[in-house]
């Protein structure tokens, strides 16, 4: 399912994502998410997510200084290509209009998406986040990993596109030269924003009471990060990526050898041409004209 694009008091807090070290050069320095919103996201995946199926939804809230407060959300309904009459834009507008009628925060502040084994970076996600962030500067995308969460450790992260990548997206120039000029690589396309979960005092007391009534029998049980099936799948994905990288290295080395060989041929050709022109000049003949080397020697291509 492709990513959808339609920008349009007393509490206890728990930090779940510290984010990268150092100050963030962004309009949002912290994301505060209500505990109920988190439960809605988890419930959405449990009801509609199947295996690697991705679920998505809209985040609602408000901006207070440099803090983005997420106070509500609603999911995108699952539909197939046969549902030609379904209008996503109209659906979102009606949902936000209904929330406004009951005096609930209805301002668009981003969107959320589930991920499968931490693999979420795609062109669709990049285009969607650019559209949101271009229309609403403070927008974020929340990435929820149900696999890690099912092992007892909540995995929820907030991301924003870095300013340099936003400029590249505006110009729609995704060439290797523009990315290199902007010093953009896979690992620094996004900046992570720290997340804090907010709960009311009543919720905090309820959680404390439940913990006292149902203590964990084995405290070390939560340290079990993955079952054998999940570990096997993760290793298989890692092996596939390593194989692809090995093939790319072989192709790149072949390109370097071909490029070096062609450069030697160019130098030899130019030397022969110079010697021939010197001989023609010594005989009183007109030198041969300069030729376009790019036409004589086509640059080698990296194998796909």
């Amino acid at each position: 399912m492709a990513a959808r694009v339609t920008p349009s008091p007393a509490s206890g807090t728990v930090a779940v994502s510290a984010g990268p070290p150092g100050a963030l050069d962004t309009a949002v320095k912290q994301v505060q998410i209500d505990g109920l919103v988190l439960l809605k996201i988890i419930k959405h995946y449990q009801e509609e997510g199947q295996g690697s199926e991705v679920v998505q939804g809209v985040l609602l809230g408000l901006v207070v200084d440099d803090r983005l407060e997420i106070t509500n959300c609603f999911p995108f309904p699952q539909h197939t290509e046969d549902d030609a009459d379904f209008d996503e834009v109209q659906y979102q507008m009606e949902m936000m209009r209904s929330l406004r009628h009951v005096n609930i925060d209805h301002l668009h502040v981003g969107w959320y998406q589930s991920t499968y084994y931490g693999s979420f970076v795609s062109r669709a996600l990049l285009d969607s986040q650019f559209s949101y962030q271009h229309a609403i500067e403070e927008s974020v995308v929340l990435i929820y990993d149900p696999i890690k969460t099912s092992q007892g450790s909540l995995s929820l992260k907030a991301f924003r596109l870095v300013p340099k990548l936003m400029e590249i997206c505006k110009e729609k120039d995704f060439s290797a030269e523009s990315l290199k000029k902007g010093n953009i690589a896979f690992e620094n396309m996004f900046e992570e924003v720290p997340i804090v979960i907010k709960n009311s005092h009543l919720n905090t007391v309820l959680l404390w009471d439940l913990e006292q009534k149902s203590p964990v029998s084995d405290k070390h049980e939560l340290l079990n990060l993955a079952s054998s099936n999940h570990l096997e799948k993760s290793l298989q994905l890692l092996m596939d990526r390593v194989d692809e990288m090995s093939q790319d290295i072989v192709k790149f080395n072949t390109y370097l050898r071909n490029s070096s060989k062609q450069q030697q041929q160019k130098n030899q050709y130019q030397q022969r041409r110079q010697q021939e022109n010197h001989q023609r000049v010594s005989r009183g003949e007109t030198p041969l004209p300069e030729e376009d080397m790019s036409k004589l020697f086509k640059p080698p291509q990296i194998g796909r």
Side-chain angles (χ1 to χ4, degrees), residues 213-274:
K213 292 180 178 179
S214 304
V216 179
S217 57
D218 184 4
K219 295 294 184 181
H220 298 286
E221 182 181 350
L222 298 179
L223 299 178
N224 183 16
L225 298 181
S227 65
S228 58
N229 293 335
H230 294 155
L231 182 59
E232 180 181 357
K233 182 63 177 179
S234 298
L235 290 176
Q236 183 62 46
L237 292 174
L238 179 61
M239 291 169 60
D240 293 341
R241 299 293 86 76
V242 171
D243 290 341
E244 291 178 2
M245 186 180 67
S246 299
Q247 295 175 5
D248 290 340
I249 291 176
V250 172
K251 294 176 182 178
F252 182 68
N253 289 334
T254 302
Y255 166 78
L256 290 180
R257 289 195 299 268
N258 294 337
S259 179
S260 177
K261 183 178 179 180
Q262 188 182 77
Q263 187 62 39
Q264 292 178 358
Q265 293 175 350
K266 284 183 180 180
N267 295 335
Q268 293 174 0
Y269 178 84
Q270 289 176 341
Q271 291 176 0
R272 290 197 303 268
R273 195 58 176 254
Q274 289 177 358

Side-chain angles (χ1 to χ4, degrees), residues 41 69 91 117 208 218 277 290:
I41 295 175
E69 297 185 2
Y91 167 77
Y117 286 103
W208 180 85
D218 184 4
N277 282 335
E290 295 288 338

Side-chain angles (χ1 to χ4, degrees), residues 9-17 30-40 60-62 64 67-72 105 142 154 156 194-205 207:
S11 65
T13 58
V14 179
V16 297
S17 176
Q30 185 185 80
V31 173
Q32 179 177 289
I33 179 172
D34 195 88
L36 182 59
V37 176
L38 177 59
L39 292 178
K40 287 183 178 181
L60 306 174
L62 64 158
V64 180
R67 182 177 73 252
L68 180 66
E69 297 185 2
I70 301 175
T71 58
N72 202 355
D105 292 333
L142 291 183
L154 175 63
L156 184 71
I195 295 179
V196 171
I197 297 179
K198 172 188 175 182
N199 287 315
S200 67
H201 287 319
L202 291 177
N203 288 343
T204 304
V205 171
L207 292 174

Side-chain angles (χ1 to χ4, degrees), residues 33-97:
I33 179 172
D34 195 88
L36 182 59
V37 176
L38 177 59
L39 292 178
K40 287 183 178 181
I41 295 175
I42 296 175
K43 183 181 179 183
H44 182 199
Y45 177 82
Q46 291 177 345
E47 292 180 346
E48 299 189 10
Q50 299 177 359
S52 59
E53 184 72 19
V54 172
V55 299
Q56 299 169 330
V58 174
L59 299 175
L60 306 174
L62 64 158
V63 179
V64 180
D65 297 330
D66 58 357
R67 182 177 73 252
L68 180 66
E69 297 185 2
I70 301 175
T71 58
N72 202 355
C73 70
F74 62 86
F76 288 118
Q78 296 280 14
H79 64 279
T80 62
E81 296 179 356
D82 298 332
D83 302 329
D85 297 334
F86 181 77
D87 189 341
E88 296 177 356
V89 177
Q90 184 65 24
Y91 167 77
Q92 294 184 50
M93 296 302 295
E94 290 180 358
M95 284 292 296
M96 289 187 287
R97 188 180 301 112

Side-chain angles (χ1 to χ4, degrees), residues 1-2 85 109 144 146 149 156 179 186 201 226 253 256 284 299:
M1 180 176 62
D85 297 334
V109 295
Y144 166 66
T149 302
L156 184 71
L179 293 176
F186 176 81
H201 287 319
N253 289 334
L256 290 180

